[in-house]
């Protein structure tokens, strides 16, 4: 009898251990993930993000963009932050990121500050998510509770970055297809594109639109042409605001621009060009609260794309390299 009970106890113990392992590897993200392990996390991140945006308002858009470009390549795992080495090829020099993705030094500063208050606890992937939220909020946009608990990838994929991040030349069908493949709806696509209410783009990203396309306001095109020469190689890195009305304030003016045929990128104007998303653009242009609400929903959904949790990945000590 004692032997049978002992075997039962051992079996029960194995089941408990197995359950613990499987549950931890399938752990869900939560808004209070660091409430005990790093209670000062949010204030620490916010202070550094605020300092960076005070120095340069554009940095808020850059930090938000880093989160997009991370999540769209094999999920929100901090892979974008890894530097190339002699034996490792990362995503920073993929076509969508080369000479345009920026803010890595700010992420370094945030990581350093967070490590000072709770070393070895918070992932770089989660820091990206918080920094994106704080950037939106500090520039006048909506606030939301960020879901956390991601771990950092030990690998990256330049090929996936080249293929997975929609190009500024994308048509509407391509945009819808790519977002749908990641579990994001057409409404999510339009709402997330509203992030272009802040930030700037390089001449190389909009040259073809301002010289070759007809669904564009002529005065808008001419103004942009003055700072973006037709010839490739000339003024390639010259910048223009994605939102000509309030380029450093997070609002719904981006959608008004699209209705006026003043979308800077081809992919922007595709959202209002006689297609299935016209009605959503019109609605957001008239109702800023609806845009804000849908943007928050879409950001949370995007942050849920294939996170590494439980025993997967690692908590990097330095966001630029694996431990």
């Amino acid at each position: 009898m004692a032997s049978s009970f002992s075997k039962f106890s051992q079996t029960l113990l194995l089941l408990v251990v197995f359950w613990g392992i499987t549950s931890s590897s399938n752990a869900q993200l939560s808004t209070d993930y660091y409430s005990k392990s790093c209670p000062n996390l949010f204030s620490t991140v916010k202070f550094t993000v605020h300092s960076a945006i005070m120095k340069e308002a554009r940095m808020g858009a850059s930090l938000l963009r880093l989160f997009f470009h991370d999540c769209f390549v094999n999920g929100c795992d901090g892979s974008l932050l890894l530097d190339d080495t002699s034996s490792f090829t990362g995503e920073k020099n993929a076509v969508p990121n080369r000479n345009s993705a920026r803010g890595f030094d700010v992420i370094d500063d945030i990581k350093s500050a967070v490590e000072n208050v709770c070393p070895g606890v918070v992932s770089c992937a989660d820091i990206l998510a918080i920094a994106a939220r704080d950037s939106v909020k500090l520039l006048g946009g909506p606030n939301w509770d960020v879901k956390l608990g991601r771990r950092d990838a030990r690998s990256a994929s330049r090929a996936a970055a080249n293929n997975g991040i929609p190009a500024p030349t994308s048509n509407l069908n391509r945009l819808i297809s790519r977002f749908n493949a990641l579990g994001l709806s057409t409404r999510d696509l339009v709402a997330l594109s509203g992030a272009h209410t802040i930030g700037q783009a390089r001449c190389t990203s909009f040259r073809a639109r301002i010289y070759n396309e007809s669904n564009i306001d002529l005065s808008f095109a001419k103004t942009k042409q003055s700072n973006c020469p037709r010839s490739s190689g000339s003024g390639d890195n010259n910048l223009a605001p994605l939102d000509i009305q309030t380029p450093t304030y997070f609002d719904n003016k981006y959608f008004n621009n699209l209705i006026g045929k003043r979308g800077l990128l081809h992919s922007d104007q595709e959202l209002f060009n006689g297609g299935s998303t016209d009605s959503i653009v019109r609605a957001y242009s008239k109702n800023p609260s609806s845009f804000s609400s849908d943007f928050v929903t879409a950001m949370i959904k995007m942050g849920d794309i294939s996170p590494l949790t439980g025993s997967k990945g690692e908590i990097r000590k330095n966001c630029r390299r694996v431990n």
Side-chain angles (χ1 to χ4, degrees):
M1 187 76 173
S3 176
S4 298
F5 181 78
S6 176
K7 289 181 180 179
F8 173 78
S9 299
Q10 290 174 359
T11 302
L12 182 61
L13 178 60
L14 287 172
L15 286 172
V16 169
V17 170
F18 175 76
W19 180 86
I21 292 172
T22 55
S23 64
S24 66
S25 64
N26 295 314
Q28 298 298 306
L29 304 181
S30 65
T31 56
D32 62 351
Y33 187 83
Y34 297 108
S35 60
K36 293 181 179 179
S37 59
C38 193
N40 295 321
L41 171 61
F42 292 120
S43 59
T44 303
V45 175
K46 182 180 178 181
F47 178 84
T48 309
V49 173
H50 182 267
S51 298
I53 290 176
M54 288 301 100
K55 291 177 183 176
E56 181 194 15
R58 180 190 174 203
M59 186 53 68
S62 297
L63 295 174
L64 177 56
R65 186 167 181 257
L66 287 183
F67 187 52
F68 281 124
H69 282 214
D70 184 44
C71 291
F72 264 66
V73 182
N74 297 327
C76 311
D77 60 3
S79 59
L80 173 61
L81 304 175
L82 293 170
D83 282 343
D84 288 358
T85 69
S86 59
S87 59
F88 177 86
T89 301
E91 298 165 15
K92 287 183 177 179
N93 284 305
V95 173
N97 298 323
R98 187 172 61 243
N99 299 322
S100 67
R102 59 196 299 275
F104 297 110
D105 53 339
V106 176
I107 297 299
D108 290 340
D109 291 342
I110 297 171
K111 179 62 172 175
S112 178
V114 170
E115 285 294 301
N116 283 336
V117 296
C118 40
V121 173
V122 182
S123 68
C124 299
D126 278 346
I127 284 174
L128 276 179
I130 302 169
R133 187 275 309 273
D134 287 354
S135 294
V136 170
K137 183 182 178 183
L138 288 166
L139 292 175
N143 186 28
W144 64 93
D145 293 330
V146 182
K147 292 167 68 175
L148 302 167
R150 303 169 191 82
R151 288 168 65 84
D152 297 319
R154 295 189 178 98
S155 62
S157 175
R158 183 173 297 180
N162 282 329
N163 296 322
I165 299 172
T169 54
S170 299
N171 62 29
L172 184 59
N173 286 338
R174 164 64 179 160
L175 292 170
I176 291 174
S177 174
R178 182 59 190 140
F179 276 68
N180 285 175
L182 295 173
L184 298 168
S185 69
T186 300
R187 180 171 289 274
D188 295 329
L189 157 65
V190 181
L192 289 172
S193 296
H196 285 180
T197 183
I198 54 176
Q200 302 186 59
R202 295 186 304 144
C203 171
T204 51
S205 298
F206 59 85
R207 176 181 279 130
R209 170 154 168 75
I210 62 175
Y211 285 104
N212 303 332
E213 297 185 10
S214 58
N215 61 339
I216 188 170
D217 178 80
L218 290 179
S219 62
F220 172 76
K222 288 183 177 180
T223 299
K224 298 308 167 193
Q225 289 170 7
S226 66
N227 194 43
C228 181
R230 184 188 293 270
S231 301
S232 178
S234 178
D236 285 359
N237 292 320
N238 291 350
L239 299 171
L242 290 158
D243 173 1
I244 60 172
Q245 298 187 64
T246 53
T248 60
Y249 189 77
F250 197 99
D251 55 24
N252 69 328
K253 295 295 192 296
Y254 165 82
F255 301 104
N256 299 132
N257 295 333
L258 299 187
I259 291 173
K261 297 183 179 181
R262 294 187 296 273
L264 184 64
L265 306 180
H266 176 83
S267 55
D268 287 329
Q269 198 60 56
E270 279 288 287
L271 301 180
F272 192 83
N273 193 35
S276 60
T277 53
D278 282 16
S279 60
I280 305 174
V281 171
R282 283 199 186 92
Y284 288 162
S285 73
K286 296 175 182 177
N287 191 335
S289 62
S290 174
F291 162 55
S292 291
S293 176
D294 286 354
F295 180 80
V296 166
T297 298
M299 283 293 290
I300 293 171
K301 284 177 67 176
M302 187 178 73
D304 282 341
I305 298 174
S306 304
L308 298 176
T309 58
S311 59
K312 298 176 182 176
E314 65 182 15
I315 304 298
R316 276 186 230 140
K317 297 175 182 176
N318 182 325
C319 292
R320 292 178 180 265
R321 58 178 180 266
V322 297
N323 293 339

